[in-house]
Amino acid sequence: MLIDSYNRVVDYLRVSVTERCNFRCQYCMPEKPFSWVPKENLLSFEELFEFIKIAIDEGVKKIRITGGEPLLREDLDKFIKMIYEYKPTIDLAMTTNGYLLKGVAQRLKDAGLSRINVSIDTLKRDVAQEIAGKDVLENVLAGVEEALRVGLKVKINMVPMKGINSQEIVDVLEYSKERGMTIRFIEYMENSHAKKEIKGLKSKELLSLLAKHYRFSDDGFDGHSPSHYYTMEDGYKFGIIEPYEDDFCQKCNRIRLTAEGYLIPCLYFDEAMSIAEAIKRRDIKGAALVLKEVVRTKPEKNRWGGEDAEVSKRAFYETGG
Ligand code: SAM
Ligand code: SF4
């Protein structure tokens, strides 16, 4: 079992399979980065899988494939199948922008993927184009329909931003609710890669906007999920991810692996340790030691809410959010 210095059990690994993306979201990667990680530095699926086996053997129970845009990486279904066949009981999920989902949803499901989170910040074509830098909405919505059709469980992620999509929170909630999908509103997390002008809606602002339309009760946190959940009168649950709140990190159970092989203990901070060399040498003990050290050094909490905090320099497209 992996336990950090604050007695939190770490059993959730997020794996970013690429930092590249076909969108240029304003809050994540508004411009193409100055340079990408050279392709030869990326770990192959076999190498990532070698590490994942170690992590599973050490107690990881949940794995989420993310990116950049994970569906840009060829043969992702084969990678998912490798993980699934190693441990069919693993909770295997993916986060995607949905653009390429329609063509691959069935293959992903057949490979062993059970759940998928799709990012939908708006239901307006022009606003989607403004946020993502290209005309994406039709493909994304078609991807969601196909994922539902093949039987994947789908959640929707929305980042509400002032003056951009904040007037659409009810519409995106209703869209999700009609299709039986949970929506999670994610507070915009400031980072040095995002467009400077962005102002996210904080949880309290969101709740007061939602309270104009619905009555709901506060359910608190559900297990280790980062979402604070609320239940509406008709039983529908929605979540808010509130990294600026003081208690957000108390139950954190996750670490992140980048496509280059860096293990990252916290989304906010720059610290990371590489497992790439150990994996390439097939040094299982060495990689397991790095894993344990990363867990040991996991910070108590992020500094998004901190008064003297600097803007995080961590790129979301690199860590996978
Ligand atoms: N490309 C995929 C996608 O967009 O769903 C997966 C990677 S993306 C980095 C993972 C999640 O992080 C998405 O739901 C996205 O909305 C969220 N995200 C990215 N930048 C963010 C930021 N600055 N603040 C809050 N959430 C962010
Ligand atoms: Fe790409 Fe996802 Fe970042 Fe948007 S949020 S730029 S889709 S990685």
Side-chain angles (χ1 to χ4, degrees):
M1 200 188 275
L2 298 163
I3 301 180
D4 77 0
S5 322
Y6 301 92
N7 261 327
R8 294 173 297 196
V9 174
V10 173
D11 59 5
Y12 178 13
L13 176 67
R14 296 177 65 102
V15 181
S16 168
V17 293
T18 178
E19 59 171 356
R20 291 165 197 247
C21 192
N22 46 355
F23 286 15
R24 293 288 173 267
C25 298
Q26 296 190 17
Y27 46 71
C28 180
M29 192 203 296
E31 308 285 343
K32 183 170 176 264
F34 187 63
S35 64
W36 297 114
V37 173
K39 283 221 162 104
E40 61 272 19
N41 288 13
L42 298 181
L43 295 187
S44 65
F45 280 149
E46 286 71 25
E47 288 165 340
L48 289 171
F49 179 55
E50 279 310 308
F51 178 74
I52 286 172
K53 283 193 287 187
I54 297 169
I56 291 175
D57 293 347
E58 292 291 342
V60 162
K61 295 194 171 57
K62 175 173 172 182
I63 293 178
R64 178 174 294 277
I65 313 294
T66 174
E69 175 45 39
L71 295 180
L72 287 183
R73 198 148 165 186
E74 244 173 81
D75 291 335
L76 191 72
D77 56 319
K78 293 188 185 137
F79 179 53
I80 285 170
K81 194 158 186 239
M82 285 153 95
I83 303 170
Y84 178 75
E85 286 184 346
Y86 185 69
K87 187 110 185 193
T89 54
I90 200 97
D91 180 0
L92 197 48
M94 181 175 81
T95 301
T96 171
N97 62 31
Y99 191 80
L100 299 170
L101 187 54
K102 186 172 177 197
V104 292
Q106 184 74 63
R107 264 187 282 149
L108 296 172
K109 174 83 168 62
D110 294 344
L113 193 72
S114 49
R115 300 187 297 110
I116 199 161
N117 288 8
V118 184
S119 305
I120 296 189
D121 296 316
T122 173
L123 294 168
K124 294 184 180 156
R125 186 175 169 187
D126 56 331
V127 180
Q129 172 140 19
E130 186 194 344
I131 294 173
K134 73 176 187 193
D135 187 8
V136 297
L137 188 65
E138 197 181 322
N139 278 20
V140 174
L141 297 182
V144 169
E145 296 305 331
E146 180 65 3
L148 290 169
R149 193 190 69 75
V150 304
L152 285 164
K153 279 194 200 140
V154 185
K155 280 187 186 160
I156 299 299
N157 289 343
M158 174 180 186
V159 180
M161 293 168 279
K162 291 182 182 167
I164 299 177
N165 63 346
S166 54
Q167 74 290 358
E168 280 192 77
I169 53 173
V170 169
D171 294 345
V172 184
L173 183 149
E174 286 294 331
Y175 161 84
S176 309
K177 187 170 160 220
E178 275 163 22
R179 290 164 179 76
M181 311 181 291
T182 301
I183 184 165
R184 285 131 27 103
F185 299 104
I186 309 179
E187 282 184 339
Y188 163 62
M189 290 168 244
E190 279 178 49
N191 68 88
S192 59
H193 304 265
K195 211 169 163 188
K196 302 267 171 305
E197 298 76 29
I198 294 183
K199 295 267 172 290
L201 252 75
K202 294 287 184 296
S203 168
K204 287 194 180 75
E205 296 170 300
L206 261 166
L207 288 171
S208 69
L209 284 176
L210 289 169
K212 290 186 185 153
H213 298 265
Y214 310 106
R215 285 198 206 193
F216 44 82
S217 59
D218 184 341
D219 296 345
F221 291 92
D222 183 9
H224 289 279
S225 160
S227 293
H228 192 153
Y229 278 102
Y230 298 84
T231 304
M232 296 185 356
E233 277 184 324
D234 60 6
Y236 179 71
K237 277 182 196 288
F238 65 88
I240 306 185
I241 298 186
E242 313 166 314
Y244 288 81
E245 293 297 313
D246 233 15
D247 53 358
F248 180 72
C249 304
Q250 263 168 26
K251 289 191 182 166
C252 184
N253 62 343
R254 61 201 59 195
I255 52 173
R256 295 167 167 84
L257 178 66
T258 71
E260 227 185 333
Y262 283 102
L263 261 188
I264 299 175
C266 173
L267 183 61
Y268 179 94
F269 295 99
D270 281 351
E271 280 71 14
M273 284 178 81
S274 178
I275 48 102
E277 270 192 32
I279 288 296
K280 284 180 197 291
R281 286 198 306 268
R282 302 203 163 262
D283 174 6
I284 293 176
K285 274 197 188 141
L289 279 176
V290 176
L291 169 62
K292 285 176 188 157
E293 182 59 9
V294 166
V295 169
R296 191 188 66 77
T297 56
K298 204 171 149 51
E300 185 179 14
K301 51 195 211 172
N302 75 52
R303 296 185 68 200
W304 265 296
E307 280 181 7
D308 56 344
E310 290 171 19
V311 173
S312 169
K313 294 195 262 315
R314 269 267 168 242
F316 272 66
Y317 57 82
E318 193 186 30
T319 60

